[in-house]
Amino acid sequence: MTLSSENLVIMVGGASSRMKRSLENSDLSDTIKNIAQKLHKSLIPLGEAGRPLLYYLIKNAAAAGYEQVYLITSPENEGFKSLVGKKDRNNYYEDVSVHFAIQTIPGGRKKPLGTADALQQCLEQYTELKSTAFTVCNGDNLYSVGALKDLNRSRNVPNALIGYSSSGLQFSDERISKFALIDISPDGFLKGIVEKPDVSQIESYRDTSGELRVSMNIFSFHGKEIYPYLENCPIHPQRNEKELPEAVRQLVADGPRRVFCYPRSEYIPDLTNADDIAHFKK
């Protein structure tokens, strides 16, 4: 089986709560603080050009060869429609077609059920993705054209991810602990993944070269392979969410050589908290 894909799924359905909590103690202007409180963080104007991160991410996707972009949002998505187009499907924006998938909140909950649930709902709304390959990523990280190309290249493995070196990311151990650490076999396949490890345990995850290998939540899947793991993903007992890294962990636990890892070492601009907004100078 040789896989490549023109489809990119971007998850922007979260509440940006960590970002919004950090605004009060930031050095940002009152104008930017007010904007950031009202918008999803991927829509906050950045740098001198005042373009949001989502604009740059979609531009990179187009440069990497993607033609179809699926935005997973909450039902309150007017900000996104103001950027990419008002239609639910087939908006033409920055050389790609953009479609909206809506992550609804189950009854009895106050917030979304997590990233695995978001992707599951997207595949249920766009059933064509269940029978093809696609890349999926966060909407608050600016992934490079190279990384997006890696996951869009032809390969003989149904699933893949990018494994980033911790030194290239330039994040502190505390910040690294907010992501997922990965264990890679000598022949390049994912062996295990740990979401948001305790800071005190980070040293035990370093490889023989001293690097931590980090998943920044950018994967390529075949819909038929990943869907059952999204559907059956357990809810995390503390965070009370169905998390995509847990679905991937269960996927690789069911058999070896199911997820190939493309190694990369580079900095990824992201918007975890308010201080990150000021880092976008250009």
Side-chain angles (χ1 to χ4, degrees):
M1 172 169 46
T2 300
L3 294 176
S4 61
S5 173
E6 62 178 24
N7 306 302
L8 175 64
V9 177
I10 303 176
M11 297 183 290
V12 287
S16 305
S17 54
R18 191 187 309 170
M19 164 69 76
K20 295 183 189 301
R21 287 196 303 268
S22 67
L23 286 169
E24 183 177 346
N25 297 321
S26 74
D27 294 328
L28 297 170
S29 69
D30 289 342
T31 299
I32 292 296
K33 287 182 181 179
N34 289 336
I35 292 173
Q37 283 287 1
K38 296 174 182 177
L39 295 175
H40 186 275
K41 54 188 172 181
S42 66
L43 296 174
I44 298 170
L46 301 171
E48 296 175 0
R51 296 277 197 177
L53 188 147
L54 185 59
Y55 162 83
Y56 295 108
L57 179 55
I58 291 177
K59 289 279 286 186
N60 284 0
Y66 294 87
E67 298 178 5
Q68 308 291 325
V69 171
Y70 301 81
L71 292 182
I72 307 177
T73 73
S74 68
E76 299 75 34
N77 62 1
E78 284 305 311
F80 295 102
K81 288 193 170 184
S82 295
L83 178 69
V84 305
K86 297 293 187 181
K87 296 186 291 185
D88 292 334
R89 303 184 181 213
N90 298 313
N91 297 282
Y92 191 71
Y93 178 75
E94 296 300 327
D95 299 323
V96 301
S97 293
V98 181
H99 320 279
F100 286 96
I102 305 302
Q103 183 184 18
T104 58
I105 300 176
R109 287 181 61 91
K110 294 183 178 180
K111 65 176 186 176
L113 192 51
T115 51
D117 174 71
L119 186 55
Q120 179 186 343
Q121 291 197 42
C122 179
L123 267 61
E124 289 169 352
Q125 292 168 41
Y126 292 90
T127 55
E128 63 270 23
L129 293 176
K130 290 185 179 181
S131 57
T132 190
F134 58 87
T135 297
V136 58
C137 66
N138 288 347
D140 56 354
N141 296 324
L142 183 52
Y143 304 97
S144 69
V145 173
L148 290 162
K149 278 186 175 180
D150 278 348
L151 294 181
N152 199 23
R153 67 172 68 172
S154 296
R155 63 179 188 270
N156 295 319
V157 180
N159 314 290
L161 84 164
I162 304 292
Y164 291 94
S165 66
S166 56
S167 60
L169 290 172
Q170 303 175 30
F171 294 157
S172 67
D173 283 356
E174 181 180 5
R175 190 154 185 175
I176 289 290
S177 72
K178 302 296 191 297
F179 301 107
L181 298 181
I182 56 179
D183 185 16
I184 305 168
S185 70
D187 57 350
F189 286 88
L190 183 66
K191 293 170 58 181
I193 185 166
V194 181
E195 173 78 345
K196 298 176 182 175
D198 189 272
V199 175
S200 65
Q201 297 177 326
I202 281 184
E203 288 300 316
S204 66
Y205 293 105
R206 293 192 185 275
D207 64 17
T208 55
S209 68
E211 289 280 10
L212 296 169
R213 298 294 170 177
V214 182
S215 167
M216 294 293 291
N217 243 26
I218 179 168
F219 303 93
S220 177
F221 299 120
H222 193 283
K224 183 178 179 180
E225 283 259 325
I226 193 61
Y227 182 78
Y229 294 93
L230 302 173
E231 190 175 30
N232 298 315
C233 183
I235 296 176
H236 191 280
Q238 281 80 47
R239 292 186 287 274
N240 195 27
E241 294 181 348
K242 293 172 64 174
E243 298 175 331
L244 185 54
E246 176 60 22
V248 176
R249 189 194 68 78
Q250 295 199 342
L251 172 68
V252 298
D254 279 352
R257 303 173 66 88
R258 301 187 74 178
V259 180
F260 186 75
C261 180
Y262 292 104
R264 293 191 72 84
S265 180
E266 61 190 11
Y267 173 67
I268 302 179
D270 84 321
L271 290 174
T272 300
N273 57 52
D275 292 338
D276 298 320
I277 297 174
H279 293 167
F280 286 83
K281 301 297 184 183
K282 299 181 181 179

